[in-house]
């Protein structure tokens, strides 16, 4: 008999809620993905490149043309010139990038600080590396970093801190001042940073994303991860990338080459073409998703859910205390799906230990107007 390396891990909440939505015919606002397609020109480009014979292994580090486009975008968005060859690695999805960064840094017995609620792949990846996560809760109601708790959580064994801004599930943002404070806190310690910025272009109300790529000091010890899935409405393409200084990148590639070797070739060609042809796509995303957020929130204004408009991501949290305070959020998500035809994600699953009175569900608004209208109608009747 073997011993499980991940005894506490089951099927993820995203799979479970999407399955329940499919079984019950509910509108699926649970797992984060658009119910509309990515740009036609981008999709056409994949077919073109497959027909043109771009079907064998890509470079292990990523297609050069795509790495060039990524570097150009980073220069435009964050003012950093990264080296195309030694600082950018294309991966089959951000999840793989995160996994590889963690395997690169974490030795048995090392500690990794994660902020709860946190994305579900971090902790298992740390466990598989033989490390241990120290879960530091974000301060409610704004999901802000509690600096005292962070400072208390650091130990001589702390090797890595994982941050995620814009934050899944809350949409909260880390500010440039927060990054300065973080830099000061780890300046004299041997601690690295993994910055999960997959929602980097989904920031609303005119706010600018504070990227670690724009922070000279933190970048020197950081892996910065992004995902084309979010930016180009193609989550199923599972294509992302990681940017890090040359020494860290070299070490990361040792892992990446044995986890997957490379990303999918025709997808990388298509993304490179599209980024070159339509660099403005990323600048148009905030308005595109903000309109969806505002439509959805306006439609929910008279419902019994309470919420503050999300600052980033394509997720909106909603408090249901006024509706079914008797139900915990997992039960509430199931009840909403079965009885009211809308699938959501309970927020407690993003915690090691959720606050007992947490009454929040997460709604994905990366949906067509028609879907948002139907969902809001059902939710307003609850
Ligand atoms: N990090 C966060 C915070 C996410 O929400 C997601 C999307 N599921 C990922 C990483 C993974 O992105 P990808 O689908 O490119 O692996
Ligand atoms: N990132 C997506 C979410 O938060 C889910 C991705 C997945 O299913 N693993 O909903």
């Amino acid at each position: 008999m073997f011993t499980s390396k991940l005894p506490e891990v089951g099927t993820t909440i995203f799979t479970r809620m999407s399955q329940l939505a499919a079984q019950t015919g509910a509108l699926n606002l649970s797992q984060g993905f658009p119910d509309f397609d990515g740009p036609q020109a981008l999709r056409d480009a994949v077919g073109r490149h497959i027909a043109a014979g771009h079907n064998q292994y890509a470079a292990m580090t990523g297609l050069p043309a795509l790495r060039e486009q990524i570097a150009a975008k980073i220069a435009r968005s964050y003012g950093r010139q990264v080296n195309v060859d030694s600082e950018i690695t294309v991966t089959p999805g951000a999840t793989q990038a995160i996994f590889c960064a963690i395997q690169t840094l974490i030795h048995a017995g090392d500690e990794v600080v994660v902020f709860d609620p946190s994305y579900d792949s971090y902790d298992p990846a740390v466990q598989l590396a033989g490390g241990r996560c120290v879960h530091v809760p974000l301060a409610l109601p704004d999901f802000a970093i509690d600096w005292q708790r962070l400072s208390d959580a650091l130990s001589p064994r702390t090797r890595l801190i994982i941050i995620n801004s814009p934050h899944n599930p809350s949409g909260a943002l880390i500010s440039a001042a927060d990054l300065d404070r973080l830099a000061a806190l780890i300046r004299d310690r041997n601690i690295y940073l993994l910055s999960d910025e997959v929602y980097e272009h989904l920031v609303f109300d005119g706010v600018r994303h504070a990227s670690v790529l724009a922070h000279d000091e933190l970048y020197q010890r950081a892996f910065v991860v992004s995902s084309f899935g979010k930016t180009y409405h193609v989550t199923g393409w599972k294509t992302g990338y990681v940017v890090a200084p040359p020494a860290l990148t070299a070490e990361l590639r040792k892992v990446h080459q044995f986890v997957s070797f490379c990303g999918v070739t025709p997808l990388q060609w298509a993304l490179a073409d599209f980024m070159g042809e339509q660099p403005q796509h990323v600048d148009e995303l905030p308005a595109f998703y903000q309109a969806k957020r505002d439509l959805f929130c306006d439609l929910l204004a008279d419902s019994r859910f309470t919420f503050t408009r999300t600052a980033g991501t394509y997720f909106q949290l909603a408090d249901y205390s006024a509706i079914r305070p008797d139900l915990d959020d997992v039960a509430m998500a199931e009840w909403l799906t079965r009885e009211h035809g809308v699938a959501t994600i309970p927020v407690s699953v993003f915690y090691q230990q959720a606050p007992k009175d947490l009454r929040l569900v997460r709604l994905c608004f990366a949906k067509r107007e028609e879907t948002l209208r139907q969902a809001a109608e059902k939710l307003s009747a609850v």
Side-chain angles (χ1 to χ4, degrees):
M1 267 299 282
F2 68 90
T3 308
S4 172
K5 295 187 82 172
L6 296 172
E8 277 148 33
V9 170
T11 307
T12 77
I13 190 71
F14 306 116
T15 300
R16 283 191 280 135
M17 290 311 300
S18 279
Q19 276 174 352
L20 187 61
Q23 272 166 25
T24 57
L27 293 170
N28 190 1
L29 270 52
S30 65
Q31 192 176 24
F33 62 86
D35 73 346
F36 47 88
D37 257 325
Q40 183 74 45
L42 177 61
R43 287 180 287 133
D44 288 348
V46 180
R48 208 169 57 238
H49 284 291
I50 289 176
H54 290 144
N55 300 303
Q56 308 310 331
Y57 295 126
M60 180 272 276
T61 55
L63 191 78
L66 180 56
R67 281 186 279 113
E68 274 164 28
Q69 291 299 333
I70 294 168
K73 192 206 73 173
I74 290 170
R76 271 198 320 276
S77 300
Y78 307 122
R80 172 172 299 283
Q81 305 292 333
V82 295
N83 185 290
V84 170
D85 294 320
S86 60
E87 294 181 79
I88 301 171
T89 308
V90 178
T91 59
T95 308
Q96 198 258 21
I98 291 164
F99 187 84
C100 290
I102 289 170
Q103 304 308 311
T104 300
L105 284 174
I106 300 308
H107 291 256
D110 285 347
E111 290 176 0
V112 178
V113 171
V114 298
F115 295 99
D116 279 2
S118 65
Y119 190 57
D120 64 347
S121 83
Y122 305 154
D123 195 316
V126 170
Q127 286 181 52
L128 290 173
R132 185 176 80 86
C133 276
V134 176
H135 291 257
V136 176
L138 292 168
L140 295 172
D142 298 332
F143 295 90
I145 294 177
D146 180 331
W147 294 97
Q148 190 56 51
R149 289 188 88 146
L150 172 58
S151 166
D152 293 347
L154 301 183
S155 86
R157 286 175 176 265
T158 310
R159 192 63 52 241
L160 177 66
I161 297 175
I162 304 180
I163 57 174
N164 169 217
S165 175
H167 179 243
N168 181 6
S170 74
L173 307 177
I174 287 177
S175 67
D178 290 331
L179 294 182
D180 287 341
R181 204 159 168 181
L182 187 59
L185 189 64
I186 63 175
R187 186 164 296 146
D188 300 320
R189 304 177 193 242
N190 184 25
I191 296 178
Y192 292 83
L193 189 64
L194 173 52
S195 186
D196 179 345
E197 302 187 11
V198 298
Y199 300 103
E200 62 178 320
H201 298 295
L202 278 64
V203 177
F204 311 132
D205 305 310
V207 176
R208 277 176 71 86
H209 170 55
S211 175
V212 166
L213 288 166
H215 198 283
D216 288 338
E217 185 180 352
L218 282 178
Y219 177 66
Q220 298 316 317
R221 49 169 95 189
F223 290 102
V224 181
V225 169
S226 191
S227 171
F228 295 108
K230 321 289 172 189
T231 303
Y232 297 97
H233 319 304
V234 288
T235 59
W237 286 17
K238 294 301 294 187
T239 305
Y241 60 91
V242 53
V243 186
L248 289 179
T249 290
E251 211 50 40
L252 173 111
R253 287 173 177 174
K254 293 185 190 173
V255 177
H256 159 74
Q257 68 184 342
F258 296 127
V259 174
S260 58
F261 186 74
C262 65
V264 177
T265 303
L267 301 184
Q268 294 189 56
W269 277 102
L271 286 161
D273 283 358
F274 188 77
M275 288 175 82
E277 286 157 16
Q278 301 200 30
Q280 79 287 356
H281 172 89
V282 295
D283 305 320
E284 292 165 359
L285 268 190
F288 175 79
Y289 272 117
Q290 186 171 327
K292 292 193 181 294
R293 178 199 69 173
D294 288 342
L295 171 71
F296 192 46
C297 288
D298 289 348
L299 291 167
L300 288 177
D302 294 330
S303 75
R304 291 195 293 156
F305 290 92
T306 54
F307 52 86
T308 309
R309 286 177 197 232
T310 195
T313 73
Y314 46 46
F315 301 119
Q316 176 64 54
L317 294 187
D319 187 307
Y320 61 88
S321 305
I323 303 170
R324 291 293 307 265
D326 56 312
L327 293 184
D328 68 32
D329 60 355
V330 175
M332 180 66 180
E334 181 157 344
W335 181 76
L336 276 178
T337 312
R338 290 189 189 281
E339 304 298 325
H340 293 277
V342 182
T344 61
I345 294 286
V347 169
S348 63
V349 301
F350 294 80
Y351 279 90
Q352 183 182 48
Q353 197 158 30
K356 285 252 169 317
D357 53 353
L358 197 74
R359 293 290 180 267
L360 292 174
V361 289
R362 189 196 80 177
L363 299 148
C364 174
F365 59 81
K367 305 294 166 189
R368 287 172 285 137
E369 180 173 336
E370 180 197 339
T371 314
L372 293 175
R373 287 189 184 279
Q374 284 173 5
E377 195 178 321
K378 287 175 189 290
L379 293 169
S380 296
V382 178

